[in-house]
Short mmCIF file of all heavy atoms in Angstrom, two decimals:
data_model
loop_
_atom_site.label_atom_id
_atom_site.label_comp_id
_atom_site.label_asym_id
_atom_site.label_seq_id
_atom_site.Cartn_x
_atom_site.Cartn_y
_atom_site.Cartn_z
N PHE R 203 -34.72 -56.14 -1.82
CA PHE R 203 -35.14 -56.08 -3.22
C PHE R 203 -34.80 -57.37 -3.94
O PHE R 203 -35.63 -57.92 -4.68
CB PHE R 203 -34.49 -54.88 -3.92
CG PHE R 203 -34.78 -54.82 -5.38
CD1 PHE R 203 -35.98 -54.31 -5.84
CD2 PHE R 203 -33.87 -55.31 -6.31
CE1 PHE R 203 -36.27 -54.27 -7.19
CE2 PHE R 203 -34.14 -55.28 -7.66
CZ PHE R 203 -35.34 -54.75 -8.10
N ILE R 206 -37.11 -60.24 -2.80
CA ILE R 206 -38.46 -60.09 -3.37
C ILE R 206 -38.46 -60.43 -4.85
O ILE R 206 -39.35 -61.13 -5.34
CB ILE R 206 -38.98 -58.66 -3.12
CG1 ILE R 206 -39.28 -58.48 -1.63
CG2 ILE R 206 -40.22 -58.38 -3.96
CD1 ILE R 206 -39.59 -57.05 -1.24
N TYR R 207 -37.44 -59.97 -5.57
CA TYR R 207 -37.38 -60.25 -7.00
C TYR R 207 -37.25 -61.75 -7.25
O TYR R 207 -37.94 -62.31 -8.11
CB TYR R 207 -36.22 -59.50 -7.66
CG TYR R 207 -36.18 -59.72 -9.15
CD1 TYR R 207 -37.00 -58.99 -9.99
CD2 TYR R 207 -35.37 -60.69 -9.70
CE1 TYR R 207 -37.00 -59.21 -11.36
CE2 TYR R 207 -35.35 -60.92 -11.06
CZ TYR R 207 -36.17 -60.18 -11.88
OH TYR R 207 -36.18 -60.41 -13.23
N TYR R 210 -40.61 -63.52 -6.50
CA TYR R 210 -41.71 -63.23 -7.42
C TYR R 210 -41.33 -63.33 -8.89
O TYR R 210 -42.19 -63.18 -9.76
CB TYR R 210 -42.28 -61.84 -7.14
CG TYR R 210 -43.14 -61.82 -5.90
CD1 TYR R 210 -42.62 -61.39 -4.68
CD2 TYR R 210 -44.45 -62.25 -5.95
CE1 TYR R 210 -43.40 -61.38 -3.54
CE2 TYR R 210 -45.24 -62.25 -4.82
CZ TYR R 210 -44.71 -61.81 -3.62
OH TYR R 210 -45.49 -61.81 -2.50
N LEU R 213 -43.43 -65.10 -11.77
CA LEU R 213 -44.65 -64.51 -12.34
C LEU R 213 -44.41 -63.96 -13.73
O LEU R 213 -45.34 -63.82 -14.52
CB LEU R 213 -45.24 -63.44 -11.42
CG LEU R 213 -44.61 -62.04 -11.36
CD1 LEU R 213 -45.17 -61.15 -12.43
CD2 LEU R 213 -44.88 -61.44 -10.01
N LEU R 214 -43.15 -63.69 -14.08
CA LEU R 214 -42.85 -63.18 -15.42
C LEU R 214 -43.10 -64.21 -16.50
O LEU R 214 -43.21 -63.87 -17.68
CB LEU R 214 -41.39 -62.70 -15.48
CG LEU R 214 -41.02 -61.56 -14.54
CD1 LEU R 214 -39.55 -61.24 -14.64
CD2 LEU R 214 -41.87 -60.34 -14.80
N PHE R 260 -51.70 -46.82 -14.47
CA PHE R 260 -50.56 -47.73 -14.66
C PHE R 260 -50.82 -48.71 -15.80
O PHE R 260 -49.92 -48.99 -16.60
CB PHE R 260 -50.24 -48.49 -13.38
CG PHE R 260 -49.48 -47.67 -12.37
CD1 PHE R 260 -49.72 -47.83 -11.03
CD2 PHE R 260 -48.54 -46.74 -12.76
CE1 PHE R 260 -49.03 -47.09 -10.09
CE2 PHE R 260 -47.83 -45.99 -11.83
CZ PHE R 260 -48.08 -46.16 -10.49
N ASN R 264 -48.57 -49.02 -19.17
CA ASN R 264 -48.07 -50.31 -19.64
C ASN R 264 -48.50 -50.59 -21.07
O ASN R 264 -47.71 -51.05 -21.89
CB ASN R 264 -48.57 -51.45 -18.74
CG ASN R 264 -47.76 -51.59 -17.49
OD1 ASN R 264 -46.55 -51.43 -17.51
ND2 ASN R 264 -48.42 -51.91 -16.39
N TRP R 268 -45.81 -51.11 -23.94
CA TRP R 268 -45.52 -52.49 -24.33
C TRP R 268 -46.71 -53.22 -24.96
O TRP R 268 -46.60 -54.42 -25.22
CB TRP R 268 -45.05 -53.30 -23.12
CG TRP R 268 -43.82 -52.72 -22.51
CD1 TRP R 268 -42.60 -52.59 -23.11
CD2 TRP R 268 -43.68 -52.19 -21.20
NE1 TRP R 268 -41.71 -52.00 -22.24
CE2 TRP R 268 -42.34 -51.76 -21.06
CE3 TRP R 268 -44.54 -52.05 -20.12
CZ2 TRP R 268 -41.85 -51.18 -19.90
CZ3 TRP R 268 -44.04 -51.47 -18.96
CH2 TRP R 268 -42.73 -51.05 -18.86
N ARG R 273 -45.70 -60.29 -19.89
CA ARG R 273 -44.43 -60.29 -19.15
C ARG R 273 -44.07 -58.88 -18.69
O ARG R 273 -43.64 -58.68 -17.55
CB ARG R 273 -43.31 -60.86 -20.02
CG ARG R 273 -41.96 -60.81 -19.32
CD ARG R 273 -40.91 -61.50 -20.10
NE ARG R 273 -41.12 -62.93 -19.91
CZ ARG R 273 -40.46 -63.87 -20.54
NH1 ARG R 273 -39.54 -63.54 -21.40
NH2 ARG R 273 -40.69 -65.13 -20.30
N MET R 274 -44.25 -57.90 -19.55
CA MET R 274 -43.90 -56.52 -19.19
C MET R 274 -44.88 -55.96 -18.16
O MET R 274 -44.49 -55.20 -17.28
CB MET R 274 -43.82 -55.65 -20.44
CG MET R 274 -42.73 -56.08 -21.40
SD MET R 274 -41.11 -56.30 -20.63
CE MET R 274 -40.65 -54.63 -20.30
N HIS R 275 -46.15 -56.32 -18.28
CA HIS R 275 -47.14 -55.89 -17.28
C HIS R 275 -46.78 -56.46 -15.91
O HIS R 275 -46.83 -55.76 -14.90
CB HIS R 275 -48.55 -56.33 -17.68
CG HIS R 275 -49.17 -55.48 -18.73
ND1 HIS R 275 -50.03 -54.46 -18.45
CD2 HIS R 275 -49.04 -55.49 -20.07
CE1 HIS R 275 -50.42 -53.88 -19.57
NE2 HIS R 275 -49.83 -54.49 -20.56
N HIS R 276 -46.40 -57.73 -15.88
CA HIS R 276 -46.02 -58.36 -14.61
C HIS R 276 -44.72 -57.77 -14.06
O HIS R 276 -44.59 -57.57 -12.85
CB HIS R 276 -45.88 -59.87 -14.78
CG HIS R 276 -47.16 -60.57 -15.11
ND1 HIS R 276 -48.36 -60.24 -14.53
CD2 HIS R 276 -47.41 -61.60 -15.96
CE1 HIS R 276 -49.31 -61.04 -15.02
NE2 HIS R 276 -48.76 -61.87 -15.88
N LEU R 277 -43.76 -57.48 -14.94
CA LEU R 277 -42.50 -56.87 -14.49
C LEU R 277 -42.75 -55.51 -13.87
O LEU R 277 -42.20 -55.18 -12.82
CB LEU R 277 -41.52 -56.76 -15.66
CG LEU R 277 -40.18 -56.09 -15.33
CD1 LEU R 277 -39.42 -56.91 -14.30
CD2 LEU R 277 -39.36 -55.90 -16.59
N PHE R 278 -43.60 -54.72 -14.51
CA PHE R 278 -43.94 -53.40 -13.97
C PHE R 278 -44.59 -53.54 -12.59
O PHE R 278 -44.24 -52.80 -11.66
CB PHE R 278 -44.88 -52.68 -14.94
CG PHE R 278 -45.14 -51.25 -14.57
CD1 PHE R 278 -44.20 -50.28 -14.84
CD2 PHE R 278 -46.32 -50.88 -13.98
CE1 PHE R 278 -44.43 -48.95 -14.52
CE2 PHE R 278 -46.57 -49.56 -13.64
CZ PHE R 278 -45.62 -48.60 -13.91
N SER R 279 -45.49 -54.48 -12.45
CA SER R 279 -46.13 -54.72 -11.14
C SER R 279 -45.10 -55.15 -10.10
O SER R 279 -45.17 -54.74 -8.95
CB SER R 279 -47.21 -55.79 -11.27
OG SER R 279 -48.24 -55.36 -12.10
N LEU R 280 -44.17 -55.98 -10.50
CA LEU R 280 -43.14 -56.43 -9.58
C LEU R 280 -42.25 -55.28 -9.14
O LEU R 280 -41.91 -55.17 -7.96
CB LEU R 280 -42.28 -57.52 -10.26
CG LEU R 280 -41.09 -58.06 -9.49
CD1 LEU R 280 -41.53 -58.70 -8.19
CD2 LEU R 280 -40.34 -59.07 -10.34
N LEU R 281 -41.92 -54.39 -10.05
CA LEU R 281 -41.02 -53.28 -9.71
C LEU R 281 -41.68 -52.22 -8.84
O LEU R 281 -41.00 -51.58 -8.05
CB LEU R 281 -40.45 -52.67 -10.98
CG LEU R 281 -39.51 -53.57 -11.77
CD1 LEU R 281 -39.08 -52.89 -13.05
CD2 LEU R 281 -38.32 -54.00 -10.93
N ILE R 282 -42.98 -52.03 -9.02
CA ILE R 282 -43.61 -51.01 -8.16
C ILE R 282 -44.06 -51.64 -6.87
O ILE R 282 -44.30 -51.04 -5.91
CB ILE R 282 -44.79 -50.28 -8.85
CG1 ILE R 282 -45.92 -51.24 -9.20
CG2 ILE R 282 -44.31 -49.56 -10.09
CD1 ILE R 282 -47.19 -50.56 -9.58
#
Side-chain angles (χ1 to χ4, degrees):
F203 175 81
I206 290 171
Y207 183 81
Y210 284 98
L213 77 87
L214 299 177
F260 282 144
N264 279 323
W268 301 298
R273 176 173 284 174
M274 297 310 288
H275 282 263
H276 295 320
L277 178 63
F278 188 78
S279 296
L280 176 60
L281 293 177
I282 62 167

